[in-house]
Amino acid sequence: MRSLVTLDHIHKQHRLGDQIVHALLDVSLKIDRGEFVAIMGPSGSGKSTLLSILGCLDHPSRGRYLLDDEDVFVQSKVRLSELRNRRIGFIFQNFNLLPRLTALENVGLPLFYRREPLRNPTARARAALEQVGLGGRMHHVPAQLSGGEQQRVAVARAIVNGPDLLLADEPTGALDTSTRDAILALLGELQCAGLTVVLVTHDSEVAACAWRTIRLRDGAIVGN
Ligand SMILES: Nc1ncnc2c1ncn2[C@@H]1O[C@H](COP(=O)(O)OP(=O)(O)O)[C@@H](O)[C@H]1O
Ligand SMILES: [Mg+2]
């Protein structure tokens, strides 16, 4: 069976003045459909860079990324943004919700960027909020929601277009342990429903929920 994600010899360099920083150094990995993978490593080891490349938010300096059988970084800009919109969901430590929009409007945003619009985008956004247990908070703005509820809204926004891959950068880093566990349970449910989850964490209890942990050090994989 073909992997959902194949990274082949990915390098990422940043230029800082006349210095070159190697954020990723020859990273190769495969992730199968339906896996739950944790990425761990010290600060500065390249975790966020790896996640941005997996999320097609950033281009590598070298190397190849296959998502199913699509060679991601040879696609046109238009196809790349369509890939991001339809096949990949992203959640962040600080939720990244738009503060003036309600939960329902935040979740509906990715639906407006689809190339073929939906007949009833509001119904789709509502269903995603119900799926994360926030059916009763549709019209609240982020400031009226707890941290855990805001992260649930962010999860609903990430899954509203039915992606294959959910990428999470320290998704529980801003939450207390019981809220953390509830968000992890939600990610576990989504995985059971077929989503592939890749999550960056510092927390070994979070990583313990994953099937597999990829360890990075100085931009290279040191354990897999
Ligand atoms: N835009 C950038 N410009 C220069 N250096 C960067 C940039 N982004 C990341 N880096 C460097 O790349 C390395 C990896 O960063 P990052 O992926 O953010 O690590 P992590 O998420 O593991 O803390 C670090 O040394 C960081 O300083
Ligand atoms: Mg980081």
Side-chain angles (χ1 to χ4, degrees):
M1 192 184 78
R2 192 189 295 282
S3 298
L4 177 64
V5 164
T6 306
L7 294 184
D8 254 344
H9 302 291
I10 295 281
H11 293 251
K12 178 67 183 181
Q13 305 171 344
H14 295 288
R15 197 176 287 278
L16 263 186
D18 53 4
Q19 272 202 335
I20 292 196
V21 181
H22 294 276
L24 292 176
L25 208 65
D26 200 22
V27 167
S28 295
L29 67 89
K30 285 179 190 291
I31 298 171
D32 287 334
R33 198 175 275 285
E35 270 200 281
F36 191 147
V37 176
I39 300 174
M40 295 190 85
S43 181
S45 58
K47 304 181 298 293
S48 295
T49 304
L50 178 57
L51 218 59
S52 310
I53 287 174
L54 287 172
C56 311
L57 298 169
D58 202 0
H59 280 250
S61 313
R62 254 195 297 148
R64 194 167 67 137
Y65 174 10
L66 296 179
L67 185 61
D68 271 335
D69 47 5
E70 206 162 355
D71 193 343
V72 169
F73 293 112
V74 304
Q75 305 299 324
S76 67
K77 276 204 170 132
V78 171
R79 178 65 193 142
L80 207 56
S81 57
E82 192 179 46
L83 266 180
R84 260 197 313 264
N85 178 253
R86 296 296 292 277
R87 304 205 55 189
I88 297 167
F90 233 113
I91 60 175
F92 302 91
Q93 180 166 353
N94 297 314
F95 325 130
N96 287 10
L97 300 174
L98 295 182
R100 285 164 159 349
L101 300 188
T102 65
L104 189 62
E105 290 164 342
N106 267 288
V107 173
L109 276 180
L111 301 173
F112 288 105
Y113 296 104
R114 290 169 68 109
R115 287 182 71 202
E116 334 85 66
L118 291 172
R119 269 259 198 78
N120 193 344
T122 308
R124 173 78 81 99
R126 208 176 278 134
L129 273 170
E130 273 158 9
Q131 196 180 348
V132 302
L134 276 188
R137 297 278 188 281
M138 306 244 179
H139 304 294
H140 289 54
V141 295
Q144 297 169 323
L145 299 170
S146 69
E149 288 171 336
Q150 290 183 59
Q151 193 61 297
R152 282 174 190 272
V153 174
V155 170
R157 181 180 58 184
I159 62 171
V160 73
N161 267 326
D164 300 298
L165 183 60
L166 179 67
L167 303 173
D169 201 347
E170 294 276 4
T172 59
L175 305 175
D176 62 59
T177 51
S178 70
T179 315
R180 173 196 75 180
D181 292 345
I183 293 291
L184 288 172
L186 173 62
L187 297 182
E189 280 169 32
L190 295 171
Q191 184 215 1
C192 286
L195 198 66
T196 305
V197 180
V198 180
L199 161 159
V200 166
T201 185
H202 274 104
D203 183 341
S204 50
E205 288 183 40
V206 172
C209 296
W211 295 7
R212 169 157 77 104
T213 299
I214 293 170
R215 289 175 198 281
L216 283 178
R217 187 178 204 106
D218 298 329
I221 292 181
V222 293
N224 192 351

